[in-house]
Amino acid sequence: MRCRQCLVRDHYRADTQSIGERLLHQTRVFLRTLLRVYNRNGRQTKSFHGNIVNKSNGRRLSINNQLIVDSKSRASIVGRLVSKWVSNSIAADIRRNATRQLLFKGPGLGLGLVGVCINNKGPSLLTEIDETEAKCQQIRSIFSTLFTNYQIKSEAAEPCLFDLNNLQFGNCIAKGCNAVVYDAKLKGNTNQFAVKMMFNYDAESNAAAIWKAMNKECITFNGNFSSNKELEIMLNTPNRQKLKPHPNIIEIKGVFADYVPSLPEAIELYPNALPLRLCDQGFGRNMTLFLVMKKYDMSLKTFLVERDLKTQTSLFLLSQLFEGISHLIKHKIVHRDIKTDNILLDLSSDPDFPWLVITDFGFCVNSLRIPLNSDEITRGGNRALMAPEIVCAEPGPFSYIDYSASDLWSCGTIAYEIFNAENPFYPNKSKKYLQNNNYKEEHLPIMPPSTPKPIAALIFDILKRNPSERPHPKVAASLCEMLLFFSRRNLMVFKTQIDRSEVYKSRKLLQWLRALATITLCQRNTMTGGRKLNAAEMKLRLMFLSEVKIEYLLPALSYISTEEKI
Ligand SMILES: Nc1ncnc2c1ncn2[C@@H]1O[C@H](COP(=O)(O)OP(=O)(O)OP(=O)(O)O)[C@@H](O)[C@H]1O
């Protein structure tokens, strides 16, 4: 069979045709259509008739019947031309795909090409999956604006410089090993804050030394100002480590260094951390670092002690935990101390839908691999929840620790707690427990019966000993979110259609995403009946839609398609 447009033989027999041939064919069709549309619009056509020169290598391309394109130049030409018709980000996607295909011979531009119209303007060289991804991009762009506006509206607060004079301390919320947290108010203001006062035993009482010892705690402080001018200089040092804000990561609202004040219950709770001027048994220094944050209702640890969670609540929490971890990985930050005490909850919108943030970055590092030259190097916080590759790493001259999937592993252990079971890695006197250095995957306990089967399969994969066999945190988050947001009837499609192609699945996903986007917009504007979403649910939906990618949904879907019960 011949293609009517470019007279290439047998182009429909995609299976027998080489990728190169198909790519060349599609490029020809694309350029011809481009020419036709230009002609129709009465525009300048010369540049397409005679010579198109590939700027990167100076080669001349003619489209009068014969198009001469070598494989190296195809990707860039196609990308450039396509950018005339679609948004830059889609063109960039095409370029990326094409390059991937050219470099790695993997699935990319050349596979499953279809001539689909974008905005009815002309054909593109997108695969069906690329096409779906491009439509996802439209959903993302709409919802990222909505999500930003939503956050600005709900969390707007005037910037403020905090110090010991304008803060009024209340009760002690909790004491950790390295700090104590108090609730506090700005004088003359009802807004509640939590102020974390670090215990300083070593650093000299000046801002530079305090900053050097404790700056990791401030990684989620994005401001540049402090009431302490010396500290402000430190905050403004070039290349200061800062983590981009994320709704599931604690935001530090202010930092300052000052003299340790006399606060309620100080002598009973932390006498040794106080300076001599406040307590005879004190070993602490005179000055320390203070961090001001939003006050959360409780830690996940307390929440789990107080109640048995419904499956919806567990999924809601787990999605947010994975979202937070995925943000950290994206920015190459490793927390290294993920545990239920370091996860805080805001229960204000509905106790069944708590908003979650990861806190306490005191052990974080800004690299996914760190050299392990000696055993003196700190590997992280809580040893029981350290991933196996971290506890088992042997020090040596060329040794390093790979942290790329270690926070995710810790979350996998916490998932047991979130689904009302005991963490299998916590030392337990009465029961046998697993040890992170020598456990076998087949000994991992079965998740409680209320756990959706795909989640049980996901957690099993997250707790694989080999970090490269663990899924991406965004895939984990997407799975939880799909179970939360897509109807059970929809998801059951995949239970019975295991062998459906990726293209079929991506089309179905897009359908659901569009439906979800429409419903969310209606619910946001309270145009429909149905169940009203509380603020936290709405926030997670908007966040999901503002970042949704088929790239992550497809692998997440595989957990659903292979499992029997949802
Ligand atoms: N913003 C906050 N709102 C409410 N409670 C908080 C807040 N920040 C911390 N807390 C409480 O204070 C406790 C101790 O805080 P944090 O974990 O930051 O201290 P730490 O000394 O660094 O802890 P660790 O013992 O893990 O080293 C937390 O477990 C939590 O219960």
Side-chain angles (χ1 to χ4, degrees):
M1 203 182 286
R2 277 167 190 271
C3 166
R4 274 184 292 143
Q5 282 166 316
C6 76
L7 306 179
V8 170
R9 257 173 182 278
D10 287 336
H11 87 99
Y12 294 112
R13 287 171 47 206
D15 50 336
T16 56
Q17 203 175 21
S18 76
I19 290 171
E21 273 174 322
R22 267 181 285 153
L23 190 57
L24 184 58
H25 162 73
Q26 291 292 339
T27 315
R28 278 199 190 106
V29 173
F30 181 72
L31 290 175
R32 279 189 160 268
T33 317
L34 205 61
L35 177 64
R36 240 194 359 255
V37 177
Y38 263 63
N39 276 335
R40 202 166 51 229
N41 292 349
R43 298 231 193 124
Q44 162 70 273
T45 58
K46 257 188 198 145
S47 57
F48 289 99
H49 253 304
N51 304 311
I52 303 176
V53 177
N54 177 6
K55 284 187 188 147
S56 60
N57 61 7
R59 284 193 67 161
R60 199 173 67 97
L61 312 163
S62 162
I63 57 159
N64 298 330
N65 292 327
Q66 278 300 312
L67 176 71
I68 313 151
V69 192
D70 69 62
S71 67
K72 274 189 195 144
S73 48
R74 261 180 245 141
S76 63
I77 302 158
V78 172
R80 263 207 307 278
L81 289 173
V82 171
S83 66
K84 287 177 188 296
W85 299 98
V86 293
S87 70
N88 283 345
S89 59
I90 298 173
D93 268 353
I94 295 171
R95 274 196 293 275
R96 232 192 342 266
N97 261 327
T99 318
R100 199 183 300 159
Q101 192 259 317
L102 288 171
L103 291 178
F104 304 112
K105 309 239 180 294
L109 191 66
L111 288 178
L113 286 173
V114 284
V116 193
C117 284
I118 289 189
N119 300 333
N120 297 328
K121 279 181 179 170
S124 80
L125 290 168
L126 297 167
T127 63
E128 279 251 15
I129 297 178
D130 291 338
E131 166 84 352
T132 323
E133 197 68 84
K135 281 175 184 150
C136 253
Q137 206 259 338
Q138 292 167 356
I139 296 179
R140 283 201 296 276
S141 68
I142 294 170
F143 279 88
S144 55
T145 319
L146 288 178
F147 184 51
T148 316
N149 293 345
Y150 184 86
Q151 278 192 301
I152 292 171
K153 226 159 88 188
S154 58
E155 279 156 29
E158 64 282 15
C160 174
L161 283 186
F162 299 92
D163 62 27
L164 286 182
N165 297 325
N166 65 13
L167 281 169
Q168 190 181 338
F169 283 82
N171 293 327
C172 170
I173 300 175
K175 181 191 83 87
C177 302
N178 303 305
V180 59
V181 181
Y182 279 87
D183 72 20
K185 278 193 287 195
L186 264 179
K187 283 179 186 160
N189 195 317
T190 51
N191 286 351
Q192 292 254 323
F193 294 99
V195 180
K196 179 169 175 175
M197 182 176 80
M198 302 301 301
F199 297 151
N200 178 13
Y201 299 102
D202 304 315
E204 278 176 41
S205 290
N206 64 69
I210 289 172
W211 176 255
K212 194 166 170 227
M214 302 175 185
N215 65 68
K216 285 180 176 177
E217 294 277 347
C218 307
I219 196 164
T220 61
F221 177 58
N222 274 277
N224 292 325
F225 301 102
S226 168
S227 53
N228 181 304
K229 292 300 153 201
E230 273 179 273
L231 191 72
E232 194 168 294
I233 297 171
M234 300 296 138
L235 288 172
N236 287 292
T237 46
N239 306 326
R240 166 165 94 83
Q241 272 184 42
K242 272 191 211 173
L243 174 64
K244 249 180 108 187
H246 184 275
N248 297 119
I249 304 286
I250 187 90
E251 183 199 348
I252 306 282
K253 294 184 183 292
V255 291
F256 58 93
D258 211 328
Y259 286 91
V260 176
S262 169
L263 292 172
E265 299 177 84
I267 304 221
E268 297 85 61
L269 289 177
Y270 49 95
N272 295 347
L274 293 170
L276 261 180
R277 83 185 141 83
L278 294 178
C279 175
D280 294 341
Q281 305 147 37
F283 297 107
R285 297 281 187 149
N286 264 321
M287 273 181 92
T288 191
L289 188 74
F290 296 79
L291 304 134
V292 185
M293 309 164 256
K294 172 188 157 116
K295 185 184 172 212
Y296 284 84
D297 295 307
M298 59 179 74
S299 68
L300 178 61
K301 187 177 183 176
T302 318
F303 189 65
L304 292 171
V305 170
E306 283 183 6
R307 54 166 73 204
D308 264 359
L309 307 194
K310 295 179 193 160
T311 307
Q312 286 287 91
T313 312
S314 304
L315 282 174
F316 196 72
L317 287 172
L318 209 55
S319 325
Q320 297 175 68
L321 188 54
F322 291 140
E323 287 286 0
I325 297 297
S326 131
H327 181 73
L328 295 182
I329 288 293
K330 185 171 162 192
H331 294 278
K332 300 205 166 33
I333 304 281
V334 193
H335 185 283
R336 302 205 300 173
D337 195 16
I338 297 284
K339 54 183 181 182
T340 48
D341 322 56
N342 286 342
I343 295 169
L344 301 173
L345 304 179
D346 173 358
L347 308 175
S348 60
S349 70
D350 182 340
D352 282 336
F353 293 93
W355 193 258
L356 173 155
V357 291
I358 299 171
T359 188
D360 191 2
F361 281 76
F363 280 106
C364 76
V365 281
N366 65 343
S367 168
L368 300 184
R369 274 160 68 110
I370 61 166
L372 185 64
N373 305 330
S374 84
D375 225 359
E376 303 291 294
I377 288 165
T378 314
R379 296 176 192 221
N382 185 348
R383 201 179 158 89
L385 299 192
M386 258 180 209
E389 68 275 16
I390 312 298
V391 258
C392 298
E394 292 284 339
F398 303 107
S399 194
Y400 66 88
I401 312 188
D402 174 10
Y403 281 106
S404 55
S406 62
D407 282 347
L408 182 69
W409 188 92
S410 312
C411 292
T413 70
I414 290 175
Y416 279 88
E417 299 179 63
I418 292 181
F419 279 94
N420 305 311
E422 276 176 29
N423 191 320
F425 290 90
Y426 269 138
N428 190 326
K429 276 189 198 136
S430 55
K431 268 194 198 166
K432 254 185 107 182
Y433 62 93
L434 300 177
Q435 284 183 341
N436 46 6
N437 56 349
N438 61 10
Y439 76 99
K440 292 214 166 77
E441 284 157 19
E442 56 271 25
H443 294 158
L444 284 167
I446 296 168
M447 297 280 289
S450 62
T451 317
K453 283 274 155 56
I455 296 292
L458 174 82
I459 300 306
F460 183 78
D461 277 1
I462 289 178
L463 293 178
K464 288 259 164 83
R465 291 194 68 97
N466 181 351
S468 62
E469 287 176 22
R470 296 176 203 150
H472 190 283
K474 199 70 187 172
V475 171
S478 302
L479 177 62
C480 301
E481 284 154 347
M482 278 202 290
L483 292 176
L484 274 175
F485 301 144
F486 294 160
S487 83
R488 223 131 267 228
R489 220 185 56 210
N490 278 347
L491 293 174
M492 288 299 274
V493 170
F494 292 104
K495 201 192 112 187
T496 50
Q497 313 282 351
I498 293 166
D499 48 350
R500 288 288 191 176
S501 68
E502 298 284 277
V503 171
Y504 172 86
K505 287 180 183 172
S506 65
R507 267 198 226 139
K508 266 272 172 263
L509 282 170
L510 185 64
Q511 263 178 21
W512 299 344
L513 285 175
R514 281 176 167 162
L516 183 73
T518 316
I519 293 170
T520 309
L521 285 176
C522 293
Q523 282 173 327
R524 197 177 142 268
N525 300 326
T526 54
M527 273 160 58
T528 55
R531 195 169 69 82
K532 203 172 171 294
L533 291 186
N534 65 53
E537 272 183 293
M538 178 54 85
K539 193 168 164 183
L540 188 64
R541 276 250 200 113
L542 293 179
M543 192 169 93
F544 169 68
L545 289 165
S546 68
E547 292 176 356
V548 67
K549 278 192 178 170
I550 297 290
E551 182 186 335
Y552 297 119
L553 293 185
L554 275 175
L557 208 55
S558 65
Y559 285 99
I560 293 171
S561 23
T562 53
E563 289 302 321
E564 280 171 11
K565 188 186 138 204
I566 292 172

